[in-house]
Amino acid sequence: MARRVPVTNATQAINCLQEDGGVILSGFASAEEVITVNNDAAPLFGRSRTAREKWMQKPEVHEILNSFLKTTSIPYNDQGDCVIETEPILSSAATMQISPGEKAQDLHRDDFIWQRTHPDTGGNYKTTSESSLGIIVAGSETRAANGATAFIPKSHLWDHSRRPKASETQYAEISVGEAFVFLGSTVHGGGTNTTIGLVLLFLSTLFFALATTVWALLAARILQGFSTAIVHTIGYTLLAEVVGKEHLGKAMGYTNMALSTGLLIGPVLGGLLYEYCGYFQVFLPAFGLITIELMLRCMMVEKEKKQPDPVIPPSPQLPTTAGRLSQIRPGDKHPSTTESDPLLPHPPQSVARHPSAYEVLLTSPRFVVAIISLFVLNGIANGFDSTLAPFAQDAFDMRPSRVATLFLALAIPMLLAPLSGWLADRYGPRFPVMAGLAVAVPALGVLSSISQTTAAPLVKMIMILALVGLAFALAMGPLGVEAILAVHEIEEQSAPNEFGTKGLLAQAIGLQNTVIAGGGFLGPLYAGFVRLAVGWEGLEILNAVLCVTIFVLGLLTVK
């Protein structure tokens, strides 16, 4: 994050700008002034007397601007030399609003509009090299989640060809009345507003609560599924970025435990609210939780990233006459030519097409095996939804309350997910994944032997299903960690910025969540059709065979 200095300390702000290329000025504007400017800008963007005459006329602002942009010259004059000073002018002003779902702006330097290029400064920055400064004043709480400006510290010192890495990107997270000041040579760009998923989730839940027809309920559920997918992808991406590789397993374990706890408590709480309060009241906890999450997302402060020592590669050489290569910068002399040289340079060689992010991910055996394993295990787990209750009622005439205990036996072991995450952090994902699959295979095999002739079927099924739930708790969280570690491995072995400044992580987690959702969707269909075709015994034997298959694949790839 950019350094913060009081607006009254212009000298310190100038030093920060010289060193980092950007600085946050605290106390730049009062809350009353911000409200006034917001109201001024609402009917006609970019027009506010308060902003023009109070904010831009602050002495500290003028001191900062003049230190970088003021020009002084001594022209020749017959009557004697004179000094001409030109102070900077306000060339443009605008009101910006990044709405939920808006994508990030491409990273850029503002001085490109003057066709400025940047030679390697060697760390020796000259204030006279600037052609512009930008000032962004926060009209609302601005965080990475709702579109705070991304900027690359020290990028104003870089050679023009230098491209930022994902690890170098930071965010100017500012509160109401604070200002982010940055040089025109600093690489930056408007951020992504990732709150769209939560907004859609709130609206879809409200739609569901008010729906009165089957088609309206169906539309609401589809919208809920779409918004939940966005929230999950963003949530797991933030989790992976914040906690780091060292604690990723434990963090994902707690996350999976929280999801399981919600799935266990939610139906019970919903039933009680429906019985004693009414239909609409069932949705009030959901509205409250979504609102709290939205507030927390906007309050979240981007974790400061450790900046690596800048590595400035040589600038790409440009083709010149006669096929010779040289580096051309403003002020350089043009390479000498002869009469035999062609007037036009040789056309550049064609550039090989880079594979897309999904091509790279789907050609990584480690990543592919991890998401296939998640697909299989999630499919098996969700398959019990369509087969366990019918089998228990058909074979043993179990009452619904007893069938409910079977599902609890399967779900409660997921509360041990933090333990499997701790094992993944300490020993790597391989140990808990292999251990979980080693437990799942015999447990599913024994489960297939349960039949109408089995004595005490309820007790035996509870014990076996608890083992199956334990196996899934051991394997599924670490498999998610394995997929993320595979992504980090790909990025470490690739050229800097090959996959953009954001890297592969969000796309990988999106693909992973899609595959898991596919298992959840197809699992009940698969299990239902297989049970009808070959019976309960055949279904569980096939599940055991699937687990053996991913066990073998895991031995080859999981680390």
Side-chain angles (χ1 to χ4, degrees), residues 69 89-92 109-118 129-134 160 183-185 330:
L69 302 179
I89 62 172
L90 177 63
S91 60
S92 65
R109 305 179 197 247
D110 278 351
D111 61 10
F112 81 94
I113 62 175
W114 291 285
Q115 300 183 16
R116 296 293 298 272
T117 56
H118 300 272
S129 64
E130 291 300 326
S131 55
S132 68
L133 266 81
H160 197 70
L183 304 176
S185 58

Side-chain angles (χ1 to χ4, degrees), residues 196-211 215-231 279-280 283 286-287 290:
I196 179 64
L198 292 170
V199 173
L200 285 177
L201 187 58
F202 186 94
L203 294 177
S204 61
T205 304
L206 179 62
F207 185 20
F208 191 88
L210 300 176
W215 292 110
L217 289 171
L218 178 61
R221 290 297 288 166
I222 292 174
L223 187 58
Q224 277 186 323
F226 178 70
S227 56
T228 300
I230 297 174
V231 171
Y279 175 77
F280 187 80
F283 298 91
F287 292 139
I290 295 171

Side-chain angles (χ1 to χ4, degrees), residues 485-496:
L485 294 180
V487 174
H488 288 312
E489 184 179 68
I490 294 171
E491 291 180 333
E492 289 168 359
Q493 295 173 355
S494 303

Side-chain angles (χ1 to χ4, degrees), residues 185-403:
S185 58
T186 299
V187 178
H188 69 286
T192 303
N193 190 327
T194 59
T195 60
I196 179 64
L198 292 170
V199 173
L200 285 177
L201 187 58
F202 186 94
L203 294 177
S204 61
T205 304
L206 179 62
F207 185 20
F208 191 88
L210 300 176
T212 56
T213 66
V214 173
W215 292 110
L217 289 171
L218 178 61
R221 290 297 288 166
I222 292 174
L223 187 58
Q224 277 186 323
F226 178 70
S227 56
T228 300
I230 297 174
V231 171
H232 273 221
T233 300
I234 293 172
Y236 277 108
T237 302
L238 288 172
L239 182 72
E241 289 181 344
V242 170
V243 301
K245 293 188 286 187
E246 297 80 7
H247 307 289
L248 183 58
K250 190 161 56 175
M252 292 191 71
Y254 279 115
T255 303
N256 291 337
M257 182 185 72
L259 288 171
S260 300
T261 303
L263 291 173
L264 286 173
I265 296 176
V268 177
L269 179 61
L272 291 173
L273 287 172
Y274 180 75
E275 183 173 351
Y276 293 104
C277 300
Y279 175 77
F280 187 80
Q281 285 74 9
V282 171
F283 298 91
L284 294 181
F287 292 139
L289 290 172
I290 295 171
T291 302
I292 292 172
E293 167 64 12
L294 189 58
M295 293 171 58
L296 292 175
R297 184 72 61 85
C298 292
M299 292 169 58
M300 185 180 68
V301 176
E302 182 76 6
K303 182 180 179 181
E304 185 167 354
K305 300 172 183 176
K306 182 180 179 181
Q307 290 297 308
D309 294 332
V311 178
I312 303 177
S315 299
Q317 294 176 319
L318 304 175
T320 62
T321 58
R324 291 193 296 269
L325 298 177
S326 68
Q327 182 174 313
I328 301 176
R329 288 190 177 124
D332 289 349
K333 293 182 178 179
H334 196 279
S336 61
T337 60
T338 67
E339 291 183 356
S340 61
D341 291 333
L343 295 177
L344 296 176
H346 292 297
Q349 296 180 349
S350 60
V351 179
R353 184 185 73 88
H354 287 290
S356 69
Y358 294 114
E359 287 178 281
V360 173
L361 291 170
L362 295 177
T363 53
S364 165
R366 186 180 180 187
F367 180 78
V368 170
V369 168
I371 63 173
I372 287 177
S373 301
L374 286 168
F375 174 82
V376 170
L377 292 181
N378 203 46
I380 294 173
N382 282 276
F384 286 112
D385 291 347
S386 64
T387 57
L388 185 56
F391 170 70
Q393 291 172 345
D394 293 345
F396 309 110
D397 196 25
M398 283 190 186
R399 298 193 303 273
S401 59
R402 291 196 170 192
V403 173

Side-chain angles (χ1 to χ4, degrees), residues 91-105:
S91 60
S92 65
T95 304
M96 295 178 289
Q97 177 175 310
I98 300 178
S99 301
E102 270 193 58
K103 295 182 179 179
Q105 186 182 25

Side-chain angles (χ1 to χ4, degrees), residues 456-502:
L458 178 63
V459 175
K460 291 181 179 178
M461 289 188 73
I462 287 175
M463 295 175 61
I464 298 170
L465 288 170
L467 282 176
V468 173
L470 175 63
F472 288 175
L474 281 172
M476 292 186 71
L479 279 170
V481 175
E482 171 70 5
I484 293 174
L485 294 180
V487 174
H488 288 312
E489 184 179 68
I490 294 171
E491 291 180 333
E492 289 168 359
Q493 295 173 355
S494 303
N497 205 40
E498 182 172 342
F499 307 110
T501 57
K502 299 294 184 182

